[in-house]
Amino acid sequence: MKTKIWAHRGASAYAPENSLQAFQMAIDMKADGIELDIYETSDGKLVIHHDNDIKRMTGGVEAKIRETDFKTLRSYNFNGSWGDQFGKVQIPEFKEVLDLFQGTDMKINVELKEGSIAYLQAISQAVQAFQMEEQIIYSSFDHLKLHHMRKINPNCEIAALYAFNMMYPWAYGRMMNLTALHPAYSMIYKMRDELGIDYVKEAHTHGLQVNPWTANKEGIIRYLAEIGVDHIITDYPDVALRIANEVAEKQNI
Ligand code: G3P
Ligand code: CA
């Protein structure tokens, strides 16, 4: 199967990360999907943002998302280091993103961050309201959250994020009933080069996808496509799509 490409925080090399503009660019570039990070505001709205505070993207505003209400968050400009070229960049609501992708065949990789069971329930309900369950895969570094999400919605897709040298992740993945392994990409080549283990083959044998992150260098993207990972998570979806096409053509797949 040809490797598919997911735009990390949208096409974040070309527009402010986790913005509607970055997500629209991923659509325009014909990415196969996107990745985003999700938080809940103090008044219970689901918003898309990477950090638990807004300092980095608002030019220094000191506020934690979970302690701030939606209206206040919307008053800030989340343009990061992009200056005025995108106008005022608003923090998106999750439902705006669902609305944008509804009717497309793109996957939405929702990275679960800090929050209670109610936060997970609210996310699941929003997806349900848009009838987009099949378009969503939940990922998290907090694997307990994935476990809870599966309890809330037994049919949902879940993926474990990790950035350490986990041995036999396919065994863990099977025990957790994961859909996919989401390793930092270096885990894959270390295991292949140091131990001679075919990471992708092992995972596929156990019914697991391999979707590494965040591959931005052309050589790494090519390597991952050549060994047959399922999806590459990247800030440069246009570059990765070109490389994935070249590799598929070469391998005749
Ligand atoms: O999905 C992979 C990646 O998003 C995890 O790291 O810090 O970019 O959220 P981070
Ligand atoms: Ca993320």
Side-chain angles (χ1 to χ4, degrees):
M1 284 277 283
K2 187 168 109 179
T3 297
K4 293 184 175 175
I5 304 303
W6 289 346
H8 179 242
R9 310 182 196 172
S12 58
Y14 305 104
E17 64 182 54
N18 279 321
S19 67
L20 289 178
Q21 292 91 329
F23 298 136
Q24 182 61 54
M25 268 193 200
I27 295 173
D28 297 342
M29 289 175 177
K30 302 195 187 322
D32 301 292
I34 56 143
E35 187 266 357
L36 57 78
D37 308 279
I38 188 163
Y39 276 94
E40 193 171 31
T41 65
S42 65
D43 53 344
K45 298 258 191 195
L46 295 168
V47 291
I48 308 308
H49 194 63
H50 179 268
D51 306 344
N52 65 4
D53 63 49
I54 63 172
K55 196 171 176 181
R56 182 172 58 89
M57 290 304 289
T58 57
V61 178
E62 298 273 2
K64 293 240 191 284
I65 295 188
R66 296 178 68 196
E67 295 167 4
T68 311
D69 64 65
F70 180 65
K71 197 172 164 208
T72 306
L73 287 169
R74 281 285 237 207
S75 70
Y76 300 122
N77 190 348
F78 286 76
N79 60 350
S81 53
W82 289 88
D84 291 333
Q85 57 178 307
F86 292 92
K88 185 179 172 190
V89 180
Q90 291 193 309
I91 190 168
E93 247 194 289
F94 186 40
K95 65 182 183 191
E96 291 174 304
V97 178
L98 292 173
D99 193 42
L100 184 65
F101 287 97
Q102 194 173 40
T104 72
D105 58 1
M106 291 173 74
K107 201 82 181 178
I108 306 174
N109 170 8
V110 176
E111 185 182 340
L112 306 169
K113 309 288 267 198
E114 297 159 22
S116 61
I117 301 279
Y119 153 81
L120 300 178
Q121 282 166 336
I123 294 168
S124 178
Q125 277 162 15
V127 170
Q128 221 174 345
F130 278 80
Q131 299 186 313
M132 287 173 69
E133 290 94 334
E134 286 180 11
Q135 262 178 273
I136 306 291
I137 182 166
Y138 296 107
S139 62
S140 191
F141 286 101
D142 180 349
H143 300 178
L144 186 58
K145 284 210 168 44
L146 299 173
H147 176 79
H148 285 313
M149 204 46 145
R150 255 291 165 68
K151 278 198 155 171
I152 293 167
N153 179 357
N155 296 320
C156 71
E157 295 187 6
I158 53 172
L161 282 163
Y162 51 97
F164 62 95
N165 291 321
M166 191 196 303
M167 294 304 297
Y168 313 110
W170 28 89
Y172 176 71
R174 219 159 82 156
M175 282 186 75
M176 278 283 291
N177 196 16
L178 297 174
T179 310
L181 302 172
H182 282 198
Y185 66 79
S186 57
M187 311 296 107
I188 296 177
Y189 67 68
K190 272 194 212 161
M191 211 177 270
R192 275 176 64 98
D193 296 351
E194 291 177 22
L195 302 175
I197 292 174
D198 189 331
Y199 207 99
V200 174
K201 193 173 160 202
E202 290 288 350
H204 285 178
T205 300
H206 290 84
L208 296 155
Q209 297 172 17
V210 181
N211 305 331
W213 51 277
T214 300
N216 288 335
K217 294 199 172 112
E218 291 210 18
I220 289 165
I221 294 168
R222 191 174 298 280
Y223 170 85
L224 294 170
E226 281 174 351
I227 65 169
V229 303
D230 299 274
H231 304 88
I232 294 173
I233 301 170
T234 177
D235 299 340
Y236 296 85
D238 54 342
V239 174
L241 284 161
R242 172 179 53 77
I243 293 171
N245 282 332
E246 286 168 7
V247 170
E249 216 167 282
K250 209 168 152 193
Q251 293 182 344
N252 217 4
I253 48 175

